[in-house]
Amino acid sequence: MPHRDRPHRDRPHRPRDRPPDSHRPEPGPVPDPAARLAALTRRLDEACRRAGRPLGSVTLVAVSKYRSRDAVAAALDAGQRDFAESRVQEARAKWPQLRARHPGVRLHLVGPLQTNKATAAVTGFDTLHSVDRPSLAAALAAAMARTGRRPDCFVQVNTGDEPQKSGVPLDGADAFLKECRDVHGLPVVGLMCLPPAGRDPRPHFRLLRSLAAAHGLAGLSMGMSDDFEAAVAEGATVIRVGRALFGPRPRRAGGPPGTR
Ligand SMILES: *Cc1c(COP(=O)(O)O)cnc(C)c1O
């Protein structure tokens, strides 16, 4: 294929790590999640090996936003247990029945979170990846106190200082982390980032890692379908993968909020 022979630098950075089959639309409504999960796990293991990290040191979170219940059920049947949704309402509609059938499921919330959804987020999810501002931290702390539920929290950092993107600005990250832990007592386990699209994500991953180390945080939620191997090389402990597992993202009016 001429595509393959193209010199490396002619290609944009991101698509390089994309599995070859994600360029094409899926023939059926549900791609074969068991085969995709096996292939993804092989790539993840290989990335760990290359990075000199133990296999199993990275949690694969399957991002199931906008996916049908059938697609999710197939991934569950294939053994996947960590899933992420980007909207509280969608998770509420989709997950109670699935959870009842698969008690080991851990549900993650990625994407922007409104303060008025704090209680639903705290009761419906096991891990929150987008804690990014004082009003939200306060609302989550109150919701945790009220419900007794304490999901793990990742503080999202806007490493590219992109005005349209969620995440605490870089120059406010130290103060915000201190506030989350010392004022609100949130169970902060790590940091999360979404690097700017179309650029080398590695400097952003490195920045996130050094910021986490400076705060004594072990968790690093970074890496998606196109860049998770680079993220693993830079120390990711959680990768959030949608398209590489479920196929091309379904079209939605307005596009997914808070993502590229
Ligand atoms: C949608 C989404 C992902 C998954 O992206 P893919 O490119 O489909 O792997 C990861 N993280 C966040 C925050 C997302 O919104």
Side-chain angles (χ1 to χ4, degrees), residues 186-201:
L186 293 184
V188 177
V189 298
L191 303 181
M192 180 275 214
C193 76
L194 267 170
R199 273 186 268 157
D200 184 0

Side-chain angles (χ1 to χ4, degrees), residues 63 65 86 110-111 192 194 224-225 240-244 249 259:
V63 180
K65 63 185 181 199
S86 62
V110 298
M192 180 275 214
L194 267 170
M224 314 185 6
S225 290
R240 312 176 309 267
V241 178
R243 289 166 300 124
R249 198 168 289 151
T259 61

